[in-house]
Amino acid sequence: MRPLDPRLLRYARSIRVYLAAQTLIGLVTTACVIGFAAVLTRIVTGALDGDSLSILGPWLGALVGVAAVRALTVWASETLSMRAAGRVKAELRGKVLDATRKLGPSWLARRGSISVATLSGRGMDALDDYFAKYLPQLILTALVTPILVVVIWWQDWVSGIVVVVTLPLIPFFMALVGWATQSIQRTQWDTLGKLSRGFVDLLGGLATLKIFGRQHRQADRMRTITTEYRQATMKVLRVTFLSGFVLELASSLAVAIVAVGIGLRLVEGGMLLSVGLFVLLLAPEVFLPLRNVGTNFHAAAEGVTAAEDAFAILDEAATLPETSIGSASSVVNGGTAGAGLVFAAVRAQHEADAPLSHEPISAEVLPGKLTVLSGPSGVGKSSLVGALLGFTDFTGEITRDGVSLRGVPAGERDWLAWAPQRPGLTAGTIAENVTLGDPDPDPAVLDWALETAVADDLDATRDLGVSGAGLSGGQAQRVGIARALYRMRRRDCAVLILDEPSSALDHATEARLVTNLRTLAAEGTAVLVLSHRGAFLEGSDTRIDLVPIPVPAAEPIEVDA
C-alpha cells in the first residue's frame, strides 16, 4: 500500500486543495510545537531562578495562546479532513459509476454488480478514516519531524545524533507491520465481498430454496462466511493492537535514551537546564507523528484497499476509447428509419480469451423485415447482441448504412432500442417503468407500446415493488418489451432488438406478439428477435442460424484386459 497513491491526485482533483491546506496547517502546528516548548522552558527556568509572577505572567499568557492556536489547528485539520473526504468520496463514486457504464454489462457480469456496489458504498465510506486520521498525520510527519530534528541538532548535537539513529526504527517496524496488514486486510475485504454477494444471491433465490427445502443449507453457508469475516476482522484488530504496542515501545525507548543522556549531562554540569529541558520537550514530538501514522494506518487500511480496487476499475476504463472516429459517429448516430445492419464474418465473445462458441456469421437485418436469430442455448446469441450494443468485443465487421460500428460508444447508438430477456424493472408504476428516462411522457405512445407488447391488459397506473415485484414473469417480460417499443417510437429508432421476448409467454400471447412485430416491421423498422421458439421461426421474414463450433470427440481410452 502506498502512503499516498498518485492516482488519487489524478482521479480526485479536489484533494489537491486539501493537501495544500493541510500543509499550511502542518507548518502552523510545527511552529506551535516549537513555540510551546520554548515558552514552557522559559517559564520553568524562570520560576527556578525566582522570577516574580509579574515577570512570568506574560509568558503564561503566551503559553495559553500557543496551546489555543494548536487546538485550533487540530479542529481545522479534522473539519477540513471530513469535508475533503466527502468531496473525494463523491468524486470517486461518480467516476466508478461512469467507468462501470463505460465498461459495459459484460464486464459488470464478470466483475459482479454486488462487488461494485460494496465498493461504492462501504468501501468509499472507509475513506473517512484515511482522510480524517491517516493523511493528516502523514503530512505532519513529513513537515514536523525533519524540522524538529534540525532544531534539536542545533540546540544539542548529541541528542540530535541519538534521535537520528533511533528515528529510523519507527519506519522499519511500520514497514514490517504494513506488509503483514496488507494481506490480512485484503483477506477481510475479499471476505466482505463474498458475504455481500452470497447474501444478495440468497435473497434473490429464497423462494426457490424454500420450495425445495434447501434454505437451511444456505443459512449454514451464510453463517460460515459470516464467521470467516468475523475472524478476518479480529485478525486485523489483533495486528493493530500489537503494532501499536511495538511502535509505542520503540518510541518510548528512543525518548528515554535522549532523556537519560540529558539527565547525565545536567548532573555533570555539561549542559544548561534551559537547553536540556527544551530538547527534552521536543523529543517526544519528533516520534509522535510517526507513531500516529503507524497507528492510524490500520484504521485507514480498509479505505486504502477499497481505493486500490476503485483505481483498478478507473484504470481499466481509461484504456477504452472515449469517442468514436469523427464522421463515422455522426452518420451511425442518426435515428432515421430505413437503415439496416450487415454482419460480415462476425464472431462475438464476452471475454477475449474465452473459447469461440459459434461459426462466423454473415447476414443482413433489413428494414421492413422481421429477422429471427436462432441457435441452441449458449451458442452466443446474447454475445452478438452485446456486440450490437457496444458492450462486447467481436471479430469481423458490423456496419449500418455502410458505416462500421466498431469504436462507436454504446451511449451514442441512439438508433437502437433493445429489450433483454429479463428486464430490470424498478419500484413505481408500470407507466413509469415503460417511459423510463422520458422527462415528458407521451400517453398516446405509452398506450401504443403496451398494446403492441400485448400488455394492454395491465393497468398502467399499477404500483410495482422493488425489481418489479407484483408482476409474473410473463407480465414483467411484456413490460420490458413495451419499454423498448416506447423508446423506439419516441426516439425514432431504426432498429429494434428483442432477446427471447416470449420465453415466459403462453402460445396465444406469443402469437399476438409475433403478429404485432410483423406489422411493426412492415412499417419500415428493422426488427431483430433472438429466439428458438416455433412461433417466431415460422413467422419470421428472415432467419439467421448461429452454428455452434463442434466440440472434438474425446478419444476412447483403451483399457487393458
PDB file of all heavy atoms in Angstrom, residues 84 204 220 331 378 451 463 511:
ATOM      1  N   ALA A  84     -13.144  17.173   3.027  1.00  0.00           N
ATOM      2  CA  ALA A  84     -12.405  16.637   1.876  1.00  0.00           C
ATOM      3  C   ALA A  84     -12.802  15.191   1.610  1.00  0.00           C
ATOM      4  O   ALA A  84     -12.932  14.773   0.454  1.00  0.00           O
ATOM      5  CB  ALA A  84     -10.903  16.731   2.132  1.00  0.00           C
ATOM      6  N   GLY A 204     -32.329 -13.323  -3.525  1.00  0.00           N
ATOM      7  CA  GLY A 204     -32.934 -13.476  -4.838  1.00  0.00           C
ATOM      8  C   GLY A 204     -33.528 -14.850  -5.070  1.00  0.00           C
ATOM      9  O   GLY A 204     -34.549 -14.987  -5.754  1.00  0.00           O
ATOM     10  N   ASP A 220     -26.719 -22.110   6.736  1.00  0.00           N
ATOM     11  CA  ASP A 220     -25.439 -22.587   7.281  1.00  0.00           C
ATOM     12  C   ASP A 220     -24.262 -22.004   6.502  1.00  0.00           C
ATOM     13  O   ASP A 220     -23.224 -21.662   7.079  1.00  0.00           O
ATOM     14  CB  ASP A 220     -25.386 -24.108   7.230  1.00  0.00           C
ATOM     15  CG  ASP A 220     -26.405 -24.757   8.165  1.00  0.00           C
ATOM     16  OD1 ASP A 220     -26.836 -24.071   9.116  1.00  0.00           O
ATOM     17  OD2 ASP A 220     -26.788 -25.921   7.919  1.00  0.00           O
ATOM     18  N   VAL A 331     -22.651   9.760 -38.572  1.00  0.00           N
ATOM     19  CA  VAL A 331     -23.507   9.062 -39.521  1.00  0.00           C
ATOM     20  C   VAL A 331     -24.231   7.915 -38.845  1.00  0.00           C
ATOM     21  O   VAL A 331     -25.432   7.745 -38.975  1.00  0.00           O
ATOM     22  CB  VAL A 331     -22.667   8.541 -40.722  1.00  0.00           C
ATOM     23  CG1 VAL A 331     -23.534   7.726 -41.647  1.00  0.00           C
ATOM     24  CG2 VAL A 331     -22.049   9.700 -41.480  1.00  0.00           C
ATOM     25  N   GLY A 378     -26.524 -21.032 -25.347  1.00  0.00           N
ATOM     26  CA  GLY A 378     -25.096 -20.958 -25.119  1.00  0.00           C
ATOM     27  C   GLY A 378     -24.264 -20.801 -26.366  1.00  0.00           C
ATOM     28  O   GLY A 378     -23.033 -20.775 -26.292  1.00  0.00           O
ATOM     29  N   GLU A 451     -49.993  -1.850 -25.975  1.00  0.00           N
ATOM     30  CA  GLU A 451     -50.829  -2.663 -26.858  1.00  0.00           C
ATOM     31  C   GLU A 451     -49.975  -3.518 -27.788  1.00  0.00           C
ATOM     32  O   GLU A 451     -50.252  -4.714 -27.986  1.00  0.00           O
ATOM     33  CB  GLU A 451     -51.748  -1.751 -27.677  1.00  0.00           C
ATOM     34  CG  GLU A 451     -52.687  -2.512 -28.605  1.00  0.00           C
ATOM     35  CD  GLU A 451     -53.585  -1.587 -29.398  1.00  0.00           C
ATOM     36  OE1 GLU A 451     -53.492  -0.353 -29.206  1.00  0.00           O
ATOM     37  OE2 GLU A 451     -54.362  -2.083 -30.232  1.00  0.00           O
ATOM     38  N   ASP A 463     -48.985   0.064  -9.164  1.00  0.00           N
ATOM     39  CA  ASP A 463     -47.700   0.232  -8.483  1.00  0.00           C
ATOM     40  C   ASP A 463     -46.981  -1.110  -8.369  1.00  0.00           C
ATOM     41  O   ASP A 463     -47.597  -2.132  -8.039  1.00  0.00           O
ATOM     42  CB  ASP A 463     -47.898   0.821  -7.085  1.00  0.00           C
ATOM     43  CG  ASP A 463     -48.247   2.300  -7.132  1.00  0.00           C
ATOM     44  OD1 ASP A 463     -47.627   3.017  -7.923  1.00  0.00           O
ATOM     45  OD2 ASP A 463     -49.147   2.724  -6.380  1.00  0.00           O
ATOM     46  N   ALA A 511     -48.426 -15.608 -30.052  1.00  0.00           N
ATOM     47  CA  ALA A 511     -48.905 -15.424 -31.423  1.00  0.00           C
ATOM     48  C   ALA A 511     -49.302 -13.977 -31.685  1.00  0.00           C
ATOM     49  O   ALA A 511     -49.012 -13.415 -32.747  1.00  0.00           O
ATOM     50  CB  ALA A 511     -50.092 -16.363 -31.682  1.00  0.00           C
TER      51      ALA A 511
END
